[in-house]
């Protein structure tokens, strides 16, 4: 154990998995939940979701230290792991091998999607008051475009898969599921959680179009 803790690769892997669950994974769940309130209409969403968050004390430090920094660290470590990727899904057609490869691929997709999403909402809203005042309308305009709708759908599904599969893998890495049977059961539980989370996210997207 002492040798493992002293191994930089070991520590980075554990840090990567912890950041993926808390706070990055927790924020994803919260973000999808708050976006699901789009089904109540523009007035409710802009007042109860957007204005409520904008009225928080120390919002910018919270965004930077609790969301952006952990996400950046998780992404940087993830990209470093991806560079060392040895999975060969075509040669070794095992489910776990495919999941490993898709986990790395989805991480890259999520990173590109976040640059697009944050740029067109949070960053653009800094100098465009109309976006801050009516984020619901801005999202409705974006998602009404079939191309952007598909991009957001891909980003959503990639994010949900990355979290659900990451939870399953984390349980193995941290020794929470030690037997093959336990790993299979928990993998199915994580898959069910992912389906529910994806449904919540899609519901929120469709809410902007109602």
């Amino acid at each position: 154990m002492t040798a493992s803790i002293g191994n930089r690769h070991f520590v980075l892997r554990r840090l990567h998995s912890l950041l993926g669950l808390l706070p990055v994974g927790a924020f994803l769940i919260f973000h999808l939940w708050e976006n699901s309130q789009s089904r109540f209409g523009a007035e409710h969403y802009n007042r109860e979701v957007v204005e409520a968050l904008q009225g928080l004390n120390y919002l910018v430090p919270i965004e930077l230290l609790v969301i952006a920094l952990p996400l950046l660290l998780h992404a940087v470590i993830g990209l470093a792991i991806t560079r060392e990727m040895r999975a060969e899904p075509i040669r070794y057609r095992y489910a776990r091998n495919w999941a490993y490869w898709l986990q790395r691929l989805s991480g890259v997709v999520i990173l590109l999607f976040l640059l697009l999403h944050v740029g067109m909402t949070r960053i653009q809203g800094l100098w465009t008051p109309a976006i801050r005042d009516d984020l619901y309308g801005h999202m409705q305009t974006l998602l009404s475009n079939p191309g952007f709708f598909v991009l957001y759908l891909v980003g959503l599904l990639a994010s949900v898969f990355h979290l659900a599969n990451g939870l399953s893998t984390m349980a193995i890495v941290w020794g929470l599921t030690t037997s093959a049977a336990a790993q299979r059961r928990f993998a199915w539980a994580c898959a069910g959680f992912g389906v529910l989370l994806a449904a919540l996210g899609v519901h929120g997207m469709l809410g902007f179009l109602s």
Side-chain angles (χ1 to χ4, degrees):
M1 177 62 75
T2 302
S4 295
I5 294 176
N7 186 297
R8 186 178 66 175
H9 184 76
F10 173 90
V11 174
L12 287 177
R13 287 272 187 164
R14 296 307 183 273
L15 177 62
H16 180 256
S17 65
L18 283 176
L19 289 173
L21 179 61
L22 293 171
V24 176
F27 175 73
L28 172 62
I29 297 171
F30 171 74
H31 191 54
L32 294 181
W33 172 80
E34 64 176 359
N35 281 345
S36 71
Q37 297 187 57
S38 62
R39 68 190 186 279
F40 295 121
E43 182 179 354
H44 174 89
Y45 184 82
N46 288 329
R47 184 183 69 251
E48 301 297 333
V49 177
V50 180
E51 288 185 14
L53 289 176
Q54 291 177 349
L56 288 175
N57 286 327
Y58 310 112
L59 176 61
V60 173
I62 290 174
E63 288 181 320
L64 293 176
L65 298 177
V66 180
I67 302 172
L69 181 58
L71 180 60
L72 179 62
L73 289 174
H74 183 75
V76 169
I77 299 173
L79 288 174
I81 293 173
T82 300
R83 288 184 59 187
E84 302 173 358
M85 187 170 62
R86 295 291 183 269
E88 299 181 54
I90 303 301
R91 183 178 179 183
Y92 303 107
R93 301 185 180 185
Y94 303 113
R96 180 54 58 185
N97 198 47
W98 271 99
Y100 179 88
W101 183 80
L102 290 174
Q103 185 75 356
R104 306 304 163 214
L105 178 62
S106 64
V108 176
V109 171
I110 293 167
L111 182 58
L112 295 175
F113 169 71
L114 283 177
L115 292 174
L116 174 71
H117 176 55
V118 174
M120 293 192 305
T121 54
R122 188 69 178 95
I123 303 302
Q124 191 176 352
L126 293 176
W127 62 76
T128 309
I131 294 178
R132 296 197 303 271
D133 295 338
D134 185 16
L135 184 58
Y136 181 98
H138 180 63
M139 290 303 301
Q140 186 176 61
T141 300
L142 285 177
L143 295 176
S144 295
N145 183 309
F148 277 115
F149 186 89
V150 171
L151 284 175
Y152 267 79
L153 182 61
V154 170
L156 166 67
L157 296 179
S159 300
V160 169
F161 169 82
H162 197 81
L163 175 60
N165 186 62
L167 281 172
S168 177
T169 303
M170 184 179 182
I172 298 174
V173 171
W174 287 85
L176 302 178
T177 52
T178 55
S179 68
Q183 292 170 11
R184 284 195 299 270
R185 287 194 297 268
F186 190 65
W188 279 110
C190 290
F193 170 71
V195 169
L196 291 176
L197 204 57
L200 180 67
V202 171
H203 190 203
M205 289 176 59
L206 296 177
F208 287 111
L209 300 178
S210 59

